[in-house]
Amino acid sequence: MAEETITLAEPPLPPVHDWPVGQLDGTEFEPVLAELMKEGPLTRIRLSHGEEEWAWLATRYDDVKMITNDPRFSRREASVRQFTRLAPHFAPRPGALAWADQPDHNRLRRAASTAYTVSAVKRLRSRSQEILDELVDAMMQDGPPADLVERVLEPFPISVVCEIMGVPADEQQKVHTWTREIISIAGGAEASERAKKNLFGWIAQAIRDRQDGDGDDVLSLLSGAVKSGELKEEEAVSVAGPLQIGGEALTNNSGQMFYLLLTRPDLMQRMRNDPAVRPAAIEELLRYIPHRAAVGLPRVALEDVMIQGIRIRAGEPVYVSYLAANRDPDVFPDPDRIDIDRDAGAHVAFGNGAHYCTGAVLCRMQIEMLFDTLLARCPDLRLAVPADEVPFRQRTMIRGPLSLPIAW
């Protein structure tokens, strides 16, 4: 008798869920994402912009880590199609680090990476502390109440990132205005594109101007790489742009962290009375805070890949949610609770794989300095308004308080 061939039917595709970006209050976890996490390891989503109908979304910790570290999923391929997305404007720059695959990614990243090593960041610590002390001195001299975002959380990381990038002091406010417009989704595609054109044009000129120098700031390092032929000018500009924008993320992340401290007296007291717990607390807060709206950049499957019994076919787009992975109960028990005694070091708040955040070491240092300095110098630090009156940014890709009124 001929052998019978048994073909196992693949499970039906999950439904496509629309994911509009609604108003999100405070540090609440995005309710749409919470529902998607309940559906299963892989769901299908449709965001506000883009042409293609849907994309896969992975929410489980193990799947997120696998996809972001697997060469079968390509960022480069995702840069040439108009996938469903959050941002109103989509025009990846040639040579952009965020859209590069290996080995090209390492070539692009290498030129600037020496400015972000542990030793380089340590050398920057003294100057960073000077910047922070000057800001806190001025705030305390003026007396309470004060807007912590305006007085410290915004100018501090912007000044530090400008220091490491090599942006002159008299140009910093202009550069900051452009980066803020780029991460906003409120102004639409035209405003975002205009800000990008201004910022990247400024960076290109700065790189040209430094080709005869030997500085150790990022713009000088990239200029040297262009001069040596290691990078094309457009590649150097594309590497520098996202690094410059990184200061905005720290403003919003630290704003969420201080909001949590200021609205949870037990957490504030523990952080104030036990400085030794602060490093672990920072990791737990990085795990917990919803640092962005929706999802970031997609990848494309280069071949058919089976994940959790579901076939992702070659050519299909895939998003991962680091926010969801950081709330995976199989990795972080009782994930919706802040527990600074847990080991949260395995979180993926800075990403994973080749595209792990270049500035992670710098970010951790600045958050540590903010906690140590403000808790030491501002006795009885507290909100100056009821918690529900703290305004949070809306219609922006990076979440955080618009202002944080405090007293001491």
Side-chain angles (χ1 to χ4, degrees):
M1 293 180 64
E3 292 184 3
E4 294 184 1
T5 300
I6 300 175
T7 301
L8 297 177
E10 293 184 4
L13 293 176
V16 176
H17 297 277
D18 286 310
W19 192 352
V21 177
Q23 180 159 326
L24 299 168
D25 297 321
T27 57
E28 72 166 322
F29 193 75
E30 193 156 5
V32 175
L33 180 56
E35 288 303 312
L36 293 172
M37 291 169 64
K38 295 175 184 177
E39 183 174 294
L42 289 173
T43 61
R44 294 194 297 162
I45 58 171
R46 181 167 44 228
L47 297 163
S48 304
H49 300 280
E51 298 170 3
E52 302 208 15
E53 273 296 300
W54 57 269
W56 290 105
L57 172 69
T59 58
R60 303 286 175 86
Y61 182 90
D62 288 343
D63 299 331
V64 167
K65 293 205 71 172
M66 185 277 284
I67 291 168
T68 53
N69 214 19
D70 191 320
R72 293 177 296 176
F73 294 95
S74 168
R75 276 276 183 86
R76 182 177 60 82
E77 289 299 313
S79 70
V80 297
R81 289 162 57 186
Q82 294 283 335
F83 292 115
T84 184
R85 64 182 188 274
L86 175 63
H89 184 68
F90 181 75
R93 292 182 57 85
L97 188 63
W99 296 103
D101 293 334
Q102 299 292 37
D104 208 32
H105 180 273
N106 278 351
R107 178 182 65 84
L108 294 169
R109 185 165 174 158
R110 188 182 305 117
S113 62
T114 55
Y116 291 92
T117 62
V118 173
S119 59
V121 170
K122 283 183 177 178
R123 290 194 297 272
L124 187 64
R125 188 180 186 104
S126 176
R127 174 61 185 141
S128 299
Q129 188 66 57
E130 289 177 6
I131 293 170
L132 180 55
D133 286 341
E134 289 172 3
L135 293 168
V136 176
D137 285 345
M139 182 181 74
M140 298 195 72
Q141 183 175 349
D142 291 344
D147 178 359
L148 188 61
V149 172
E150 178 186 26
R151 300 302 299 265
V152 178
L153 301 185
E154 188 170 73
F156 174 55
I158 290 170
S159 295
V160 172
V161 79
C162 285
E163 193 87 14
I164 204 168
M165 293 294 294
V167 180
D170 59 351
E171 301 268 33
Q172 291 182 10
Q173 186 55 49
K174 176 172 63 178
V175 169
H176 167 53
T177 299
W178 291 330
T179 59
R180 172 59 53 77
E181 291 172 352
I182 290 169
I183 68 168
S184 174
I185 60 176
E190 185 177 340
S192 175
E193 179 58 21
R194 184 170 56 248
K196 283 182 181 178
K197 182 178 180 180
N198 288 332
L199 176 63
F200 286 94
W202 183 92
I203 289 172
Q205 188 59 53
I207 287 174
R208 293 184 205 116
D209 291 344
R210 296 170 198 226
Q211 288 195 9
D212 294 328
D214 58 354
D216 58 1
D217 59 85
V218 170
L219 293 174
S220 295
L221 292 170
L222 291 172
S223 181
V226 172
K227 186 176 182 180
S228 69
E230 182 181 353
L231 295 180
K232 298 176 183 177
E233 183 182 285
E234 65 181 11
E235 291 177 329
V237 173
S238 295
V239 169
L243 295 175
Q244 184 65 56
I245 296 168
E248 303 289 345
L250 183 60
T251 292
N252 289 284
N253 290 348
S254 60
Q256 289 195 62
M257 291 182 182
F258 273 96
Y259 175 81
L260 288 169
L261 258 67
L262 293 163
T263 55
R264 302 185 182 215
D266 56 334
L267 183 58
M268 173 67 85
Q269 183 176 4
R270 181 83 184 277
M271 292 283 282
R272 186 183 292 281
N273 295 343
D274 188 4
V277 81
R278 291 176 192 168
I282 289 171
E283 299 306 315
E284 172 67 350
L285 291 171
L286 284 167
R287 179 198 71 83
Y288 180 87
I289 60 171
H291 64 272
R292 65 162 298 120
V295 285
L297 304 179
R299 292 166 172 81
V300 169
L302 299 179
E303 60 185 73
D304 287 10
V305 182
M306 295 294 293
I307 298 179
Q308 303 285 352
I310 297 175
R311 184 184 302 276
I312 297 177
R313 298 187 181 279
E316 291 180 340
V318 183
Y319 282 99
V320 300
S321 173
Y322 292 122
L323 300 184
N326 281 340
R327 300 286 182 110
D328 187 333
D330 290 339
V331 181
F332 305 103
D334 196 7
D336 296 328
R337 181 172 66 91
I338 297 175
D339 179 5
I340 62 177
D341 292 313
R342 85 163 86 228
D343 181 1
H347 69 74
V348 286
F350 291 115
N352 184 66
H355 291 279
Y356 184 82
C357 176
T358 304
V361 173
L362 179 65
C363 180
R364 283 188 169 98
M365 181 192 77
Q366 291 177 90
I367 294 172
E368 176 189 330
M369 293 172 67
L370 284 166
F371 278 133
D372 289 347
T373 301
L374 287 167
L375 293 181
R377 298 197 53 193
C378 299
D380 190 28
L381 185 65
R382 61 190 184 277
L383 281 178
V385 299
D388 60 4
E389 292 183 14
V390 174
F392 273 69
R393 301 186 188 281
Q394 302 296 333
R395 302 195 66 198
T396 185
M397 289 177 276
I398 303 176
R399 294 177 58 183
L402 186 63
S403 65
L404 202 52
I406 57 165
W408 59 89

